[in-house]
Amino acid sequence: MRLKTGASGFMLKAMNEFDYDVIVVGGGSGGYAAARTAANADLRTAVVEGGKEVGGLCILRGCMPTKALLYAAEVKHLAEHPAAWGIQSGKVSFDFAKVMARKDALIKEFADYRAQQLSENTFTFIRAQASFVDAHTITLSTGEKLRARNFVISTGSVVAPSPLPFLSKLDYLTSDEALMLKKLPKSLIILGGGSVAVEFAQFFARFDVKVTLIQRSPHVLHEFDTDTSEVLEKVFKREGMTVYTNTTLTDAWQTNGLKGVSFLHEAKEVRVEAEEVLYALGRVPNTKSLNLDKAGVEVEDRRIIANEEMQTSAKHIYAAGDCTGPYEIVHIAVMQGEAAGHNIAFPDKPRRMDYRLVNSVVFTEPQVAMVALTEKEALRQNIPYRAASYPFADHGKSMIMEAKDGFVKLLANPETGEIIGGCCVGPVGGELIHEIIAAMYKRMTVKELAAMPHYHPTLAEIWTYPAEELALEIQPSPVELTDRQKALS
């Protein structure tokens, strides 16, 4: 199906002409951003979307549905544990069908709005699968062929296939399927310890499912610092989950209505069984069916290789979002899409991606968030730093909230005091980290952050404590201060 929008219409063209200035393959967040940017620059633009649903991963299977479910789980958890505030409650019951129905209604609203944006904008929206015939031509599942001067590929990602052959013995759930469950299993094994795995683990556990989480690395959330991961592991165990880390899966089976896996842990074989197994070991770029070799686009393990201008090895073809990376985060996909659209329209004024402020949020409770460097990454890159942290257990507002797990941490340049990284594991960490993003955007020092007024009692004022500690440790020389002042003027 083709939805026609804008004033350009459909014109018969000679075989050697282009149908469009830009064709964007994929209508998710990155693709929509690229198309909107190109169309606003008066380029004849089309979006080709072949998915059964419109909206992209974030809306349909990622950010929005999982956070809707996690918030429901948090409300239930708070209702079940009010004693700290002198409040009594009986047994809290729930209707899982209504929990899922609310999630579905929210997602439909978001997806309908994205479909409206795609069909009512100043570009053409085409519902079909696409693959390349040559560097300037795609063929559609409708049988039509389209030619374009430029392309943006933004096809997202799909659930990664299992690298372990024995897991094929299991009829396991993927993260996509877990979001569509009609009823809760009584018990669940989760394979993986990344953000998808831990978010699902806490959701199911708080809805009374017996959860066993099995992670290969020494800690969950291995991209974060160990002190951060340990806080989440402690909370998970306190809430009744069984957590195994530093494991090696060895076998799987399915019998008598149960599904099981065996693995090595602390030099011993462990066998666990549950009603369901959730495979949460990541996603891979959705590029397999695009025939990118015919377009001259280089890939590495299905991931499109692109430079900082989002340009691929075929100079007229750009990429954005999860199909290219290096970060599978929706706001980065949007920025990449905007950069790609801009660079096609204005090649003499290129816009380059800057990942200095890359940030990440995991929506467990406590939430886990970071921006820029962790200590682990600073050490890996041999970047000198000073670090200081402060616990929520000793902070006024979090004590009032009975939200005492975790801490905030700042990393600073040991010579200038400029903030080069931040981490928060604690209440609304995903909101609190934005103070450090803003500070780093303006290249503030820890001294400047410490001097910035903060209202009391608030959660945000906790950042002043590690900032003050580092400001006392780091005393830039007058020459350095003068140079900095000149740079900022």
Side-chain angles (χ1 to χ4, degrees):
M1 178 179 66
R2 171 181 284 187
L3 302 178
K4 173 181 168 185
T5 63
S8 59
F10 302 110
M11 301 173 62
L12 294 174
K13 298 182 180 293
M15 289 298 291
N16 63 338
E17 292 182 328
F18 295 114
D19 298 287
Y20 295 98
D21 296 316
V22 184
I23 290 179
V24 180
V25 183
S29 298
Y32 173 70
R36 180 191 61 211
T37 304
N40 287 345
D42 295 326
L43 298 181
R44 294 170 303 148
T45 305
V47 175
V48 179
E49 170 57 61
K52 293 180 180 179
E53 302 169 281
V54 176
L57 174 65
C58 175
I59 289 175
L60 299 172
R61 299 286 182 266
C63 320
M64 305 312 287
T66 55
K67 280 46 174 183
L69 295 180
L70 282 164
Y71 193 77
E74 183 177 352
V75 171
K76 176 179 178 291
H77 182 77
L78 287 172
E80 289 175 330
H81 300 85
W85 299 279
I87 299 171
Q88 297 179 351
S89 68
K91 180 173 175 54
V92 176
S93 61
F94 64 92
D95 185 330
F96 185 67
K98 288 185 177 180
V99 172
M100 299 299 276
R102 179 180 181 273
K103 178 264 299 179
D104 292 340
L106 285 168
I107 299 320
K108 183 179 185 305
E109 184 177 347
F110 299 138
D112 287 350
Y113 181 63
R114 174 54 52 80
Q116 179 183 339
Q117 289 177 310
L118 287 164
S119 60
E120 293 183 358
N121 220 298
T122 55
F123 48 76
T124 302
F125 183 38
I126 302 169
R127 299 286 280 116
Q129 295 280 354
S131 60
F132 281 90
V133 176
D134 58 46
H136 287 279
T137 310
I138 56 172
T139 183
L140 305 182
S141 54
T142 58
E144 186 178 8
K145 288 186 179 180
L146 294 175
R147 287 174 54 78
R149 191 180 306 276
N150 299 279
F151 289 88
V152 179
I153 304 169
S154 188
T155 48
S157 63
V158 294
V159 174
S162 168
L164 304 173
F166 57 78
L167 286 181
S168 62
K169 301 175 186 178
L170 291 177
D171 181 22
Y172 56 75
L173 298 171
T174 66
S175 58
D176 289 353
E177 293 160 343
L179 289 170
M180 307 303 291
L181 286 174
K182 301 299 182 185
K183 68 182 186 70
L184 286 168
K186 292 181 180 178
S187 54
L188 176 69
I189 297 168
I190 296 181
L191 304 179
S195 58
V196 172
V198 297
E199 287 184 355
F200 271 113
Q202 192 168 50
F203 164 72
F204 281 110
R206 287 186 165 186
F207 273 96
D208 303 336
V209 177
K210 182 181 178 182
V211 172
T212 301
L213 186 145
I214 302 170
Q215 161 72 332
R216 179 179 59 184
S217 300
H219 293 282
V220 301
L221 300 180
H222 64 87
E223 69 272 24
F224 287 83
D225 288 334
T226 298
D227 53 3
T228 301
S229 302
E230 287 175 341
V231 171
L232 199 59
E233 291 168 3
K234 180 188 72 174
V235 171
F236 278 11
K237 292 173 183 177
R238 188 177 70 210
E239 293 187 3
M241 279 183 248
T242 301
V243 178
Y244 291 98
T245 56
N246 208 14
T247 68
T248 302
L249 289 170
T250 55
D251 200 5
W253 61 90
Q254 187 167 325
T255 182
N256 299 325
L258 292 176
K259 302 170 185 180
V261 296
S262 60
F263 54 92
L264 295 177
H265 176 65
E266 297 179 352
K268 297 179 181 178
E269 185 180 69
V270 180
R271 294 166 61 89
V272 293
E273 290 184 321
E275 281 192 9
E276 291 287 357
V277 173
L278 172 59
Y279 177 85
L281 293 173
R283 302 179 69 88
V284 294
N286 181 26
T287 59
K288 192 174 182 180
S289 64
L290 293 176
N291 291 328
L292 293 175
D293 56 325
K294 294 184 178 180
V297 175
E298 293 183 8
V299 298
E300 183 177 353
D301 295 330
R302 296 172 58 168
R303 186 176 301 281
I304 297 172
I305 300 172
N307 62 21
E308 61 185 4
E309 296 176 13
M310 304 317 301
Q311 189 177 46
T312 72
S313 54
K315 301 305 181 184
H316 66 292
I317 300 178
Y318 293 71
D322 290 4
C323 65
T324 184
Y327 305 102
E328 292 76 40
I329 303 172
V330 68
H331 76 269
I332 289 181
V334 171
M335 293 168 64
Q336 291 174 335
E338 290 172 343
H342 172 91
N343 292 338
I344 291 171
F346 307 104
D348 295 334
K349 300 177 181 179
R351 184 181 298 173
R352 296 177 174 86
M353 290 298 299
D354 179 5
Y355 298 112
R356 181 178 70 90
L357 297 179
V358 65
N359 52 86
S360 180
V361 180
V362 182
F363 287 84
T364 49
E365 181 56 43
Q367 291 181 8
V368 182
M370 57 78 67
V371 57
L373 289 175
T374 60
E375 290 193 79
K376 183 184 294 186
E377 187 63 18
L379 291 170
R380 190 185 71 81
Q381 296 186 39
N382 199 29
I383 296 173
Y385 71 92
R386 285 300 242 324
S389 61
Y390 196 85
F392 280 102
D394 193 36
H395 182 59
K397 182 60 185 290
S398 54
M399 293 169 71
I400 290 169
M401 297 169 62
E402 201 66 22
K404 296 183 285 189
D405 292 303
F407 56 87
V408 294
K409 183 189 333 185
L410 289 176
L411 275 65
N413 182 303
E415 300 297 327
T416 66
E418 180 179 336
I419 301 167
I420 60 174
C423 174
C424 177
V425 49
V428 295
E431 310 296 331
L432 290 177
I433 199 65
H434 284 80
E435 176 164 339
I436 306 308
I437 297 172
M440 289 187 63
Y441 182 79
K442 300 302 291 184
R443 295 190 176 275
M444 289 175 63
T445 66
V446 286
K447 184 176 181 179
E448 290 167 330
L449 179 60
M452 192 172 75
H454 286 74
Y455 201 85
H456 175 78
T458 62
L459 289 173
E461 66 176 334
I462 194 173
W463 289 114
T464 62
Y465 299 117
E468 288 169 355
E469 181 179 336
L470 288 172
L472 290 173
E473 293 179 9
I474 303 169
Q475 297 292 336
S477 69
V479 173
E480 290 170 337
L481 286 174
T482 301
D483 291 342
R484 174 177 169 74
Q485 288 163 355
K486 288 180 180 178
L488 293 175
S489 63

